[in-house]
Amino acid sequence: MWNLLDELKGLLQQDERLVVEGKLLRNKIVELTLQLDPALIRTLLSHEGIKKHFFQDIGGVMVFDKIGFQQFVSNKAFLPDSYTAFKNRIGLIDGNEFIKEHKQVVLAWPYKDAVLEGGQSKEEAKGNEIFWNETLAPDEIDRLLQPKVLRNFKKYTAVDTADVAELSGKDNFLMKGNNLLTLHTLKSAFAGKIKLIYIDPPYNTGKDSFGYNDSFNHSAWLTFMKNRLEVSKQLLSNLGVLFISIDVNEHAYLKVLCDEIFGRDNFLGEIIWETATDNNATQISVEHEYVIGYAKHKASQPKWQIQSEKAQAIQHQYETLEAEHGADTGRIEKDLRNWVKSVKKSNEIDLSGVSHYTYVDDQGIFYPGNSANTKPGGYHYDIVHPVTKKVCNKPVNGYRWPETTFWAAADRGDVLWGGDENTIPKIKKRLHTATELLKGYFYEDNRKSTRALTNMMGKKVFENPKSINLLKKIIKFTTGENDVILDFFAGSGSTAEAVLQVNREENSTRRFILCEQMDYVESVTAKRIQKCLDGETFIYCELAKLNAHYADLVKAATTIREIKAVWRRTKTEAFVSWRVNIPRVDELLSTASTMDIQEIQSLIYETLDKNQWYVPLSEIHDNDYRFGRDIIDLNHQFARL
């Protein structure tokens, strides 16, 4: 064994890709092994002993035991000073493999929120959508993640829809299709351009609206998230940030997964969102969710501050009193202070952090800031009182601002003078300069969001839409003029509504891209966003279906006769996986009367090649698909946005 170790080390050191400062890089060796790197394979085959140990001759073809080789080089006896699966490394493991190193792809996943039709209950909605687990192994994936053709372009205005003649760099988008494949389609146009990604993925609670199949386990959920987070990182700009809503079930695991993908140093923090009370707790009543945040490059992030929203409530009350009392600043100040006291007592409005703005002069609301430096080393200079012409008393530690700052404030009328020189002068801090930070705690009963959406749509159409107020807060802190916000778990479209509201409040032109695979994208999501438009527009489009079309036929079939008819079309028209034994499927379906309809649906679904779920963009000119010049032109325009 030790001879083999030494021989393998010496052989691998011949590959300069695997060596840094004379030491072999185990992670790089494993990476190239999983990729079946040709140069690595040739190197291993060049040594007879190693070839005999890790290759098997099958009919004259040398087959590489990549799993055995990976386990061998991961053994700490091989490279004791390097990273191993169990030493000097933290990460999520499935079996003996780090999830981060999985090459699997989880293609589909049930959504946790159901669309409700009419007076339908949430439980009744579960049967409306069929989902099959789809975890693809590396050897099943070839063209899966290539960009796809987009079709069915429509421009929505507040009142109607229209055909799309051309796209611009100012469009909002609502895209229908599997979100992983949509994300990879977005890369050509938006890689490195997204400022904020907010997502509200399935929480994997086991109680979500659409029941999970048994094999949709914890590690599959993590792989599902990994696939999407890795491409999310590519889409983010260097100043981009990601926020993910999650609950306690997967919170800790998602945090570790994001640490692996984005780097622990890029963790921004988390917001604890207190929402409706859990009245059915078994042990601990959970009343909150989390929103965890990561930056692509935290070190490049500016300090996040926005104009205080709480201050606007005080400003509104001031304007009401000003209309009542005119220029009588004394009466306005007295009534304003009484109002602030009553609000604080009743907790009707949250004024924390701004309740001290209760002074009024002819320029508006202010509070006199502290002049004194908090420790020795402040600024020392003389300030002459404008009336007594004597030098004013000074703070013991000196002033906290330089003399130029003070006299600039005096020129603006922003100094509060005492009656004489015995009072230390103070600089007035105006209400409009009050700022706030993005706090790690947010309270809002989410039933408020459900009621608001129900009122907008005229009926209850969605369970648990996200808080518009929380989304607006995140958008305001993390984005600015012309930035792009992406949500690839669009649901009912809360993120789009929040972006539109922020744009109106700040007179900005932020843009949104929303992705949704469910059929309610047109009946709920698009209609909701349309109701929020006021002069704005958005472009709707879909990934052009290929095998996904036949999957729809499978789902729609409700009888044995219908499902057999679908199979006849599938095996002749669709792209069936090369692994499928078509005669064997025919044989099984010949006894279909003894099989459950869902078993048959699942069987036919499994025959479909998932690499051909949608039409690859590279085949847009293929005459078999009959794409018109308008679709071809719009796809080329999209790729150049």
Side-chain angles (χ1 to χ4, degrees):
M1 173 62 73
W2 287 106
N3 288 335
L4 177 61
L5 287 172
D6 294 339
E7 291 290 337
L8 181 57
K9 288 179 188 178
L11 187 65
L12 293 176
Q13 284 175 338
Q14 298 174 20
D15 189 336
E16 60 183 17
R17 299 174 299 170
L18 306 178
V19 182
V20 170
E21 297 180 353
K23 292 187 177 180
L24 284 169
L25 302 174
R26 173 178 296 159
N27 289 343
K28 187 64 176 179
I29 298 171
V30 171
E31 177 187 343
L32 295 180
T33 300
L34 294 174
Q35 294 174 355
L36 294 175
D37 179 73
L40 175 64
I41 300 299
R42 285 194 295 269
T43 298
L44 297 176
L45 286 170
S46 69
H47 190 288
E48 285 300 321
I50 291 172
K51 179 171 70 173
K52 181 178 179 180
H53 197 88
F54 294 111
F55 291 83
Q56 184 176 0
D57 188 334
I58 301 178
V61 176
M62 301 305 296
V63 178
F64 180 40
D65 180 9
K66 70 175 183 180
I67 301 301
F69 182 78
Q70 178 190 351
Q71 292 175 343
F72 185 86
V73 298
S74 294
N75 189 295
K76 65 180 181 180
F78 174 62
L79 291 176
D81 296 328
S82 184
Y83 289 117
T84 72
F86 307 104
K87 180 181 178 183
N88 296 331
R89 187 171 177 189
I90 296 174
L92 299 168
I93 292 178
D94 180 20
N96 291 323
E97 184 180 12
F98 281 97
I99 286 177
K100 176 66 170 60
E101 295 172 352
H102 270 184
K103 301 302 179 183
Q104 295 175 335
V105 168
V106 176
L107 187 61
W109 192 271
Y111 279 29
K112 69 179 186 305
D113 289 321
V115 61
L116 306 177
E117 300 292 345
Q120 188 181 44
S121 73
K122 187 172 181 179
E123 291 301 312
E124 291 169 334
K126 290 182 180 181
N128 286 357
E129 295 289 344
I130 298 173
F131 289 90
W132 288 285
N133 307 356
E134 197 59 34
T135 301
L136 305 180
D139 61 353
E140 298 177 274
I141 301 167
D142 46 46
R143 303 197 306 167
L144 179 72
L145 303 180
Q146 291 181 1
K148 310 304 178 190
V149 173
L150 299 172
R151 62 175 292 277
N152 197 19
F153 287 85
K154 291 186 288 188
K155 176 174 282 190
Y156 279 75
T157 68
V159 294
D160 59 17
T161 62
D163 294 335
V164 179
E166 63 178 329
L167 305 176
S168 75
K170 298 180 180 179
D171 290 319
N172 299 300
F173 286 95
L174 173 60
M175 306 173 70
K176 182 181 181 183
N178 177 280
N179 62 3
L180 177 62
L181 306 188
T182 304
L183 288 173
H184 282 277
T185 301
L186 284 169
K187 283 198 303 184
S188 62
F190 291 96
K193 295 181 181 179
I194 305 295
K195 186 64 177 296
L196 166 65
I197 297 177
Y198 167 79
I199 55 173
D200 179 27
Y203 285 2
N204 199 25
T205 63
K207 300 177 182 178
D208 298 343
S209 298
F210 301 110
Y212 299 143
N213 296 327
D214 290 342
S215 59
F216 261 29
N217 54 28
H218 173 63
S219 63
W221 184 89
L222 288 167
T223 302
F224 164 85
M225 291 301 299
K226 165 191 170 289
N227 298 149
R228 286 145 182 84
L229 293 176
E230 286 178 333
V231 66
S232 294
K233 184 177 180 181
Q234 297 175 50
L235 290 168
L236 285 174
S237 69
N238 286 334
L239 291 176
V241 294
L242 166 76
F243 282 83
I244 310 172
S245 285
I246 198 68
D247 75 357
V248 69
N249 289 282
E250 295 286 4
H251 169 261
Y253 297 95
L254 180 62
K255 169 68 169 62
V256 175
L257 179 65
C258 288
D259 283 348
E260 291 188 275
I261 294 173
F262 287 89
R264 189 178 180 188
D265 291 343
N266 290 315
F267 176 58
L268 294 168
E270 65 186 19
I271 300 169
I272 297 175
W273 173 17
E274 183 181 353
T275 179
T277 300
D278 177 8
N279 292 317
N280 299 307
T282 304
Q283 284 85 35
I284 298 175
S285 176
V286 178
E287 301 177 348
H288 64 279
E289 298 179 9
Y290 303 90
V291 184
I292 64 174
Y294 280 81
K296 190 169 185 178
H297 300 293
K298 182 178 178 181
S300 301
Q301 287 292 322
K303 184 176 182 180
W304 290 354
Q305 284 189 158
I306 63 170
Q307 188 173 356
S308 173
E309 295 179 350
K310 299 174 184 178
Q312 295 174 14
I314 296 177
Q315 179 65 26
H316 177 73
Q317 182 64 19
Y318 164 78
E319 291 171 358
T320 300
L321 294 172
E322 185 182 39
E324 179 181 348
H325 299 312
D328 190 341
T329 57
R331 292 188 64 186
I332 295 173
E333 182 176 278
K334 179 181 178 182
D335 288 354
L336 181 65
R337 290 183 177 182
N338 289 334
W339 176 82
V340 169
K341 288 180 182 178
S342 67
V343 167
K344 289 174 65 177
K345 186 176 181 179
S346 66
N347 290 320
E348 179 182 354
I349 302 174
D350 181 12
L351 296 180
S352 58
V354 295
S355 61
H356 52 292
Y357 284 91
T358 57
Y359 295 77
V360 177
D361 62 11
D362 57 0
Q363 294 187 46
I365 307 171
F366 70 95
Y367 90 93
N370 184 13
S371 303
N373 208 49
T374 56
K375 56 185 178 180
Y379 298 94
H380 292 273
Y381 49 87
D382 292 339
I383 297 177
V384 177
H385 192 277
V387 176
T388 66
K389 308 301 180 184
K390 295 181 179 179
V391 175
C392 294
N393 284 348
K394 303 173 186 177
V396 174
N397 293 328
Y399 293 107
R400 65 188 312 162
W401 13 255
E403 188 173 4
T404 53
T405 299
F406 176 82
W407 291 115
D411 290 341
R412 297 193 307 267
D414 281 344
V415 171
L416 184 64
W417 298 95
D420 57 29
E421 71 279 3
N422 294 314
T423 300
I424 299 173
K426 298 180 178 180
I427 292 179
K428 300 176 182 178
K429 185 172 181 181
R430 296 291 172 183
L431 181 66
H432 67 80
T433 67
T435 59
E436 64 176 281
L437 303 175
L438 183 55
K439 300 293 182 63
Y441 170 80
F442 177 83
Y443 171 76
E444 183 178 284
D445 190 327
N446 203 39
R447 288 172 292 192
K448 176 181 177 181
S449 298
T450 303
R451 287 193 298 268
L453 180 57
T454 299
N455 292 336
M456 175 189 291
M457 304 299 288
K459 62 180 180 180
K460 188 173 184 179
V461 296
F462 210 83
E463 288 284 344
N464 301 318
K466 283 305 169 191
S467 164
I468 297 296
N469 291 326
L470 178 56
L471 289 173
K472 285 170 60 178
K473 192 174 288 291
I474 293 172
I475 291 166
K476 287 182 177 181
F477 274 101
T478 62
T479 67
E481 183 73 17
N482 298 321
D483 282 338
V484 183
I485 294 98
L486 170 64
D487 180 351
F488 53 88
F489 290 96
S492 65
S494 300
T495 299
E497 181 176 348
V499 171
L500 292 169
Q501 286 193 22
V502 170
N503 279 346
R504 292 187 195 116
E505 292 173 10
E506 298 190 352
N507 192 28
S508 64
T509 54
R510 295 169 172 88
R511 291 185 290 146
F512 63 78
I513 301 174
L514 268 60
C515 308
E516 177 57 65
Q517 77 173 21
M518 301 288 283
D519 287 339
Y520 61 66
V521 65
E522 291 186 85
S523 62
V524 174
T525 316
K527 287 187 176 180
R528 175 189 185 175
I529 301 172
Q530 187 175 34
K531 288 178 179 290
C532 299
L533 299 176
D534 183 15
E536 307 94 343
T537 63
F538 70 89
I539 304 295
Y540 172 87
C541 58
E542 303 171 352
L543 271 62
K545 291 181 179 180
L546 195 51
N547 274 357
H549 168 69
Y550 297 94
D552 291 342
L553 296 179
V554 172
K555 291 180 182 180
T558 58
T559 67
I560 299 294
R561 181 176 180 179
E562 289 175 351
I563 199 68
K564 286 184 176 180
V566 170
W567 169 241
R568 286 194 293 272
R569 289 191 59 184
T570 298
K571 67 180 180 180
T572 57
E573 301 173 7
F575 287 89
V576 175
S577 172
W578 62 271
R579 293 176 173 81
V580 173
N581 185 328
I582 292 179
R584 177 57 179 157
V585 177
D586 288 334
E587 181 183 345
L588 287 171
L589 290 181
S590 68
T591 60
S593 58
T594 63
M595 298 174 65
D596 179 80
I597 186 68
Q598 290 191 356
E599 288 183 305
I600 305 173
Q601 287 176 312
S602 180
L603 170 64
I604 298 176
Y605 176 87
E606 291 295 335
T607 69
L608 294 169
D609 183 355
K610 305 313 181 297
N611 292 286
Q612 305 289 347
W613 211 240
Y614 301 102
V615 180
L617 182 61
S618 60
E619 298 181 10
I620 194 170
H621 295 286
D622 190 324
N623 290 332
D624 289 344
Y625 300 121
R626 300 178 182 176
F627 292 121
R629 174 50 56 186
D630 57 337
I631 294 297
I632 294 173
D633 288 345
L634 288 171
N635 274 271
H636 288 164
Q637 290 176 37
F638 184 87
R640 294 193 300 267
L641 287 177

